[in-house]
Amino acid sequence: MKSTDVYKDALARARANPAVIEALGSPIKDGFLMSGNTNVNGAAGESNLSIPIPGPKGQGTIYVSAQKSLGNWNYSGLVAELGPNP
């Protein structure tokens, strides 16, 4: 799943977001225990992912929900839940 366009785009957006950088610090990494699914059939598909994103100051999770139509991904949800390190 880490090789999908949705995963890469969601992670890139989180790494470029000033609020995420402020909360988690830099660098923001991609965690190991992601969950969800991505199904693509040609130019159509769907993806629902939960991506952990730890940083030096905290940790968070990106939640992504997207549909692929005519080869383009459209996000119905892209949210970062942020918190301090435990």
Side-chain angles (χ1 to χ4, degrees):
M1 283 190 280
K2 289 187 175 188
S3 63
T4 65
D5 292 337
V6 172
Y7 178 92
K8 291 176 185 177
D9 185 47
L11 190 58
R13 289 182 185 209
R15 287 177 171 159
N17 185 293
V20 175
I21 295 167
E22 175 67 26
L24 304 183
S26 185
I28 295 170
K29 301 180 180 185
D30 54 334
F32 294 105
L33 299 175
M34 68 174 294
S35 62
N37 60 62
T38 298
N39 297 307
V40 177
N41 186 9
E46 63 181 5
S47 183
N48 292 290
L49 302 175
S50 173
I51 307 166
I53 50 169
K57 292 172 38 179
Q59 57 188 354
T61 304
I62 303 169
Y63 298 101
V64 183
S65 180
Q67 302 288 322
K68 186 176 185 181
S69 178
L70 301 173
N72 294 311
W73 285 103
N74 299 298
Y75 295 90
S76 56
L78 180 58
V79 177
E81 183 177 86
L82 308 172
N85 278 326

